[in-house]
Amino acid sequence: MSVELPVFDISKPLNESSLTSLQDACKEWGFFYVTNHGISGDMYQKLRRFSSGVFGLGDEEKMKMGASNYTPRFIASPFFESLRVSGPDYYASAKSSLDAFADQATDEEFSELMKEYGKRMTELCEKIMKDILSSFGDNLHHKYYESEFGNCHGYFRINNYTIPLEQDHQEDDVDLLEGLGMHTDMSCITIVDQDDIGGLQVRTRDGIGLMDINPKDQALVVNVGDLLHAWTNGQLRSSQHRVVLKRHSSVGNRFSLAFFWCFDDQKVVFAPDEVVEGGKGGRVFRSFKCGDYLRFRESNEKGKFEKVGHTVEDFARTEDRN
Ligand SMILES: O=C(O)CCC(=O)C(=O)O
Ligand SMILES: [Fe+2]
């Protein structure tokens, strides 16, 4: 079953009723779509082409990028590998990964592309974050955007999902393989550009069901991460989600780009009183330093790949959910 998430045209200011539906979507699903986002299909295709070139290299070559730039298969799952490009200097980050093996021209073109893509995604996150704040009342965006979110920064994960032939031919009953296990994101918000294969699934609020988030033409998927969940005192959902791959399908690999927009390490995350008061109960998240939370996640093998059971709920929630 798939969920019908609302779609927001992000090129113009959202009206009252759109802001209400934005807030509802963030509370119910923690996911929504945006269109007219300014990321051209052409740019995406180019990036995909370059990335495929990189993923197509031998394991030994790819490992030269270093553990902070490249995650090989069998870390998050046997089917998932990922290239990381970090801001604010996306150009330098991409270049430092590729320097190990790419020729100068490819290196240059890919790095330029990442720079442009990083800039656009950052602008998009700023816009979306302002809309999310405005959905609590216009006042909130004017009051808190600059002081609370002004120092946010982003990074990309370029993800390649493949099912090796030998796995595809195994005879057992399992038709779906987990490409990326159930997790929440550590970000404030994440923007996902998935291809048309599908496989992204979100947990329902009751914690039981799973719904497909289908690819939508020209639309990007946006989701709320742990940091914004804590900053809104748990009001906006940082939903558990995963990626499944269909066995015996001949569609080939799945490709996605995820952009994570996060507080800086020094930022103290603490929901403003008026955000807490706008919710149902009292304050349920203690204040914490963003960097301490990231270290908490990384100190645990599970947390590293953003698995369930080692999230901001476990780190900073002071009262059980009811
Ligand atoms: O590949 C996708 O569609 C989503 C990836 C994801 O959830 C992540 O990288 O955190
Ligand atoms: Fe995710």
Side-chain angles (χ1 to χ4, degrees):
M1 266 218 300
S2 63
V3 50
E4 279 302 315
L5 298 169
V7 184
F8 301 102
D9 176 351
I10 205 72
S11 67
K12 46 188 191 211
L14 299 186
N15 62 24
E16 275 304 311
S17 87
S18 297
L19 287 173
T20 305
S21 95
L22 174 65
Q23 169 124 161
D24 289 349
C26 289
K27 285 181 169 162
E28 182 63 27
W29 295 104
F31 274 86
F32 55 91
Y33 295 106
V34 294
T35 52
N36 292 323
H37 39 69
I39 312 287
S40 72
D42 186 48
M43 196 149 113
Y44 171 83
Q45 287 306 338
K46 264 196 198 146
L47 225 144
R48 181 167 184 158
R49 225 174 21 249
F50 276 124
S51 308
S52 303
V54 175
F55 288 124
L57 295 168
D59 288 342
E60 215 169 288
E61 282 301 279
K62 288 186 278 191
M63 295 305 273
K64 287 186 192 157
M65 288 189 273
S68 57
N69 295 321
Y70 175 68
T71 304
R73 275 191 272 266
F74 291 98
I75 302 281
S77 96
F79 317 111
F80 172 93
E81 62 181 329
S82 175
L83 184 60
R84 180 179 165 134
V85 181
S86 304
D89 193 344
Y90 297 94
Y91 180 89
S93 174
K95 216 161 177 338
S96 81
S97 296
L98 300 189
D99 265 352
F101 52 80
D103 63 76
Q104 185 97 28
T106 311
D107 192 333
E108 198 74 23
E109 206 176 342
F110 182 81
S111 305
E112 279 296 343
L113 203 59
M114 283 315 302
K115 179 177 161 187
E116 182 60 24
Y117 205 54
K119 183 170 156 252
R120 300 248 169 144
M121 282 296 202
T122 302
E123 286 165 2
L124 198 54
C125 282
E126 288 169 1
K127 241 194 225 173
I128 293 169
M129 197 58 235
K130 284 179 185 168
D131 283 334
I132 292 178
L133 289 178
S134 295
S135 77
F136 286 90
D138 196 35
N139 173 37
L140 222 63
H141 146 200
H142 292 291
K143 200 160 167 192
Y144 292 116
Y145 181 79
E146 230 15 82
S147 59
E148 294 286 307
F149 296 88
N151 282 337
C152 279
H153 64 94
Y155 68 93
F156 286 97
R157 266 212 311 250
I158 306 174
N159 302 322
N160 187 42
Y161 300 85
T162 40
I163 303 179
L165 271 178
E166 61 274 23
Q167 286 275 353
D168 209 15
H169 291 154
Q170 256 172 34
E171 292 300 325
D172 58 37
D173 295 336
V174 189
D175 234 11
L176 287 182
L177 298 169
E178 223 167 49
L180 190 59
M182 196 63 80
H183 67 279
T184 61
D185 291 349
M186 280 190 273
S187 57
C188 286
I189 52 175
T190 306
I191 302 183
V192 178
D193 202 340
Q194 61 170 333
D195 65 14
D196 53 10
I197 289 178
L200 181 60
Q201 296 187 323
V202 60
R203 190 70 85 215
T204 52
R205 231 149 66 110
D206 59 16
I208 302 167
L210 272 170
M211 301 289 268
D212 293 323
I213 298 182
N214 288 335
K216 205 172 199 62
D217 205 25
Q218 316 278 329
L220 299 173
V221 174
V222 183
N223 68 283
V224 173
D226 282 1
L227 296 175
L228 188 58
H229 175 72
W231 193 86
T232 58
N233 194 40
Q235 290 182 74
L236 303 191
R237 257 189 95 190
S238 173
S239 304
Q240 294 180 9
H241 55 283
R242 67 172 187 171
V243 175
V244 291
L245 307 169
K246 276 201 190 74
R247 281 254 300 265
H248 313 301
S249 67
S250 53
V251 281
N253 64 329
R254 178 179 188 274
F255 178 82
S256 73
L257 276 150
F259 183 72
F260 301 90
W261 204 59
C262 309
F263 288 130
D264 67 284
D265 281 12
Q266 298 308 314
K267 165 92 180 96
V268 174
V269 183
F270 189 62
D273 284 341
E274 63 201 282
V275 172
V276 177
E277 283 153 19
K280 280 190 196 120
R283 186 178 291 280
V284 291
F285 277 90
R286 65 172 174 83
S287 77
F288 62 91
K289 214 196 244 183
C290 179
D292 290 340
Y293 173 51
L294 302 190
R295 274 185 290 280
F296 166 80
R297 294 274 297 233
E298 278 158 14
S299 68
N300 179 291
E301 267 314 302
K302 276 185 153 185
K304 258 189 206 164
F305 249 88
E306 309 189 9
K307 293 272 162 58
V308 183
H310 215 72
T311 71
V312 78
E313 293 278 326
D314 310 282
F315 182 68
R317 192 163 189 124
T318 52
E319 271 174 40
D320 283 347
R321 266 170 301 179
N322 43 31

